Amino acid sequence: MTKKGFQLDQVLNFRKEMEKMRKIDFAAAKYELDGANEQLARAESAMRRLSEELREKQIDGISANDLQLYANFSRKKREQIIDQRQEVVALERKVVEKRETLLTAAKDKKVLEAFKERKVQALKRDAAERELHFLDEISIQKKGHGKR
């Protein structure tokens, strides 16, 4: 350390900014995943309502043409649900990746903060030792002057 302070302050500030950016990236990925999960839940709920509606229509009687329309719509909805599930899985992987990146950035910052703290403590110890040595010198000089 010099009188200017911790020599790696710029690196520490950079690592703090990187951690902050990684937190934002992680939060965005998590938000995107939450939205995709909600969309999946809505699609699955709509599919359950459609199935229930079809059962009720079959009990009441339904034309072959309407049955075909329900079947086509149901097939399309199932495909959308499958696609949405795949998107959710991809987003889950993205969230895990962003979390790992964030943890790495946080560890990098913590290492440098710990290093800085050790340097500060060493500087304080050195200053205390110099002060003690200075006081000892003064004490020795006073004792030497007192004997004359």
Side-chain angles (χ1 to χ4, degrees):
M1 279 179 67
T2 64
K3 297 214 182 247
K4 296 177 185 176
F6 184 58
Q7 292 178 341
L8 298 175
D9 266 336
Q10 287 182 330
V11 176
L12 179 58
N13 290 337
F14 175 75
R15 288 189 178 175
K16 285 179 180 179
E17 283 301 312
M18 288 302 295
E19 182 187 28
K20 191 183 306 180
M21 289 171 43
R22 298 299 181 240
K23 282 180 182 178
I24 291 169
D25 289 347
F26 174 71
K30 185 78 172 105
Y31 181 78
E32 192 176 2
L33 174 61
D34 291 345
N37 274 324
E38 287 177 20
Q39 190 174 353
L40 177 60
R42 285 191 305 270
E44 288 173 337
S45 177
M47 187 66 187
R48 284 189 296 274
R49 285 191 307 273
L50 178 67
S51 294
E52 184 60 33
E53 183 180 323
L54 178 59
R55 268 187 242 117
E56 290 173 6
K57 296 268 186 191
Q58 285 176 329
I59 290 172
D60 295 341
I62 187 171
S63 69
N65 195 27
D66 285 346
L67 186 59
Q68 184 63 40
L69 286 174
Y70 271 101
N72 289 341
F73 185 72
S74 179
R75 182 177 36 78
K76 184 164 176 63
K77 203 65 169 161
R78 276 194 301 275
E79 289 171 0
Q80 288 175 344
I81 289 172
I82 289 169
D83 291 345
Q84 188 63 31
R85 283 184 183 147
Q86 290 172 345
E87 183 177 348
V88 166
V89 168
L91 289 172
E92 285 172 342
R93 281 194 298 267
K94 183 179 176 183
V95 166
V96 167
E97 177 186 309
K98 297 291 182 181
R99 181 180 293 121
E100 289 172 358
T101 304
L102 171 59
L103 289 174
T104 299
K107 286 177 187 177
D108 290 347
K109 181 193 76 164
K110 289 286 185 194
V111 165
L112 207 52
E113 286 176 336
F115 180 67
K116 179 180 181 177
E117 183 59 31
R118 285 193 306 272
K119 287 290 190 180
V120 167
Q121 293 301 323
L123 181 63
K124 287 179 181 178
R125 275 193 311 274
D126 289 346
E129 287 174 9
R130 282 193 306 273
E131 185 178 348
L132 186 59
H133 180 68
F134 178 73
L135 293 174
D136 285 347
E137 285 294 319
I138 290 175
S139 175
I140 291 171
Q141 288 176 2
K142 283 186 178 182
K143 286 182 183 179
H145 286 302
K147 293 184 177 179
R148 290 185 188 183

